[in-house]
Amino acid sequence: YNFFPRKLKWSKTNLTYRIMSYTSDLRRAEVERAFKRAFKVWSDVTPLNFTRIRSGTADIMISFGTKEHGDFYPFDGPSGLLAHAFPPGPDYGGDAHFDDDETWSNDSRGYNLFLVAAHEFGHSLGLEHSRDPGALMFPIYTYTGKSGFVLPDDDVQGIQELYGAGDRDPNPKHPKTPEKCAADLSIDAVTKLRGEMLVFKDRFFWRLHPQMVEAELVLIKSFWPELPNKIDAAYENPIKDLVFMFKGKKVWALNGYDIVEGFPKKINEMGFPKEMKRIDAVVHIDDTGKTLFFTGNKYWSYDEETEVMDTGYPKFIEDEFAGIGDRVDAVYQRNGYLYFFNGPLQFEYSIWSKRIVRILHTNSLFWC
Amino acid sequence: VPVPLDDSHEFTEEDLRFAERYLRTHYDLRPNPTGIMKKSANTMASKLREMQAFFGLEVTGKLDEETYELMQKPRCGVPDVGE
């Protein structure tokens, strides 16, 4: 989290706001509700109170405008710049402006007014942009889904450094952004994708380029808004140029940014028994054309060509991959080795000699 | 437009102007109508480096495909750095 120069903040906790104009994209009541919820994001975690006034000058004046709209910081038509706000202070200080060339919504269409307003009001209160891709104050818009919004921890830390903590936080568990070099790092899933490697954790995935040491952390929903957070497993079928992602009893097929029509499907349509609850990990082995699915202490083998489960499965993991433990978080294959992840450890298993040849930290995936 | 380019991608002049506007809006790049060498802290390359560092991209000081793709994403109009 960052602050504006001189750490600008309001010297009072009771602030007023006034809605000076509306967008025709939403009903007035929807606009008012979006702004009220957006202010509540910040009042929930601080002593701040926000009161709406309907006349006179409020601390935070809110309006919709297009292109040059009176403050010499013009908007730019559809997309691009969505809104802006001024740091705490007199006159324009705290004011928030929304680009009415955008399509504003209260769901995933266009741009979600609540989400953008919550971000802009963070500026109105003294927060500058954060480098944390999981933060509300990250400068780029990402629709974070229908389920209840919870202010990420990075934003909570920032606003509480300015105003202190409140005493009425309804959701004290604020999502943190994972640290790739944390000694106890565990991961949810890993897959290759057109030469890159994607490592999934909570709401995020790291993009690992073969030539680069630095991994880029990205929100899953910034790439695939329809996908759930915290996926269970993922693998790439390079022949079909598809990546399959699993969560619970569902499977999604992705072709680049696009979700293949007809997905998500139920995993038992692939031949798993109906009572199968989830897939823990999955890996495609290029040489054999088989895909191995790990669930609990067992694993299945699926023939990609015939699209049928091989007979004789499931088998016990321990029988074939002795030593990797009876649970797999994630697994990928490279150069004749399988890399099984279990909590903070990964096991390098030689397919040829059928044994574990090395045990590494999970975070060594990121050269930590 | 004096934008240091990565040779991995063909950018049109319009692309370069967009990149320059982006850096002016969000990274306090100052206009340089005379073309005289500016202080190194305000060159296009240094501003590109600032932006790449901010977003956790590979810091090259050159406009590459990934940096340009990120510039295209819808975002807040408040600058990322500077007054």
Side-chain angles (χ1 to χ4, degrees), chain B residues 45-60:
Chain B
S46 71
K47 292 304 178 183
L48 275 169
R49 273 194 290 277
E50 243 181 298
M51 175 194 168
Q52 288 162 339
F54 186 94
F55 286 105
L57 298 174
E58 187 185 5
V59 180
T60 62

Side-chain angles (χ1 to χ4, degrees), chain A residues 80 82-83 120 129 139 141 216 257, chain B residues 53 66 69 74-78 80:
Chain A
L82 305 181
E120 297 308 329
H129 284 147
Y141 174 83
E216 183 190 356
Y257 287 118
Chain B
E66 209 159 357
E69 192 180 303
R75 58 160 291 155
C76 169
V78 174
D80 295 333

Side-chain angles (χ1 to χ4, degrees), chain A residues 5 80-83 85 111 119-120 123 128-131 138-141 209 212 216 257, chain B residues 25-26 53-58 66 69-70 73-83:
Chain A
L81 306 179
L82 305 181
Y111 298 102
H119 172 99
E120 297 308 329
H123 290 313
E128 212 182 38
H129 284 147
S130 169
R131 295 174 176 232
F138 191 66
I140 290 179
Y141 174 83
H209 297 257
M212 283 175 50
E216 183 190 356
Y257 287 118
Chain B
T25 305
H26 303 297
F54 186 94
F55 286 105
L57 298 174
E58 187 185 5
E66 209 159 357
E69 192 180 303
L70 201 135
K73 294 190 173 185
R75 58 160 291 155
C76 169
V78 174
D80 295 333
V81 293
E83 286 291 319

Side-chain angles (χ1 to χ4, degrees), chain B residues 31-38:
Chain B
N32 178 21
T34 61
I36 299 171
M37 280 301 288
K38 289 183 274 189

Side-chain angles (χ1 to χ4, degrees), chain A residues 35 105 277 292 320:
Chain A
F35 289 147
S105 80
K277 287 192 175 53
L292 305 183
E320 177 71 16

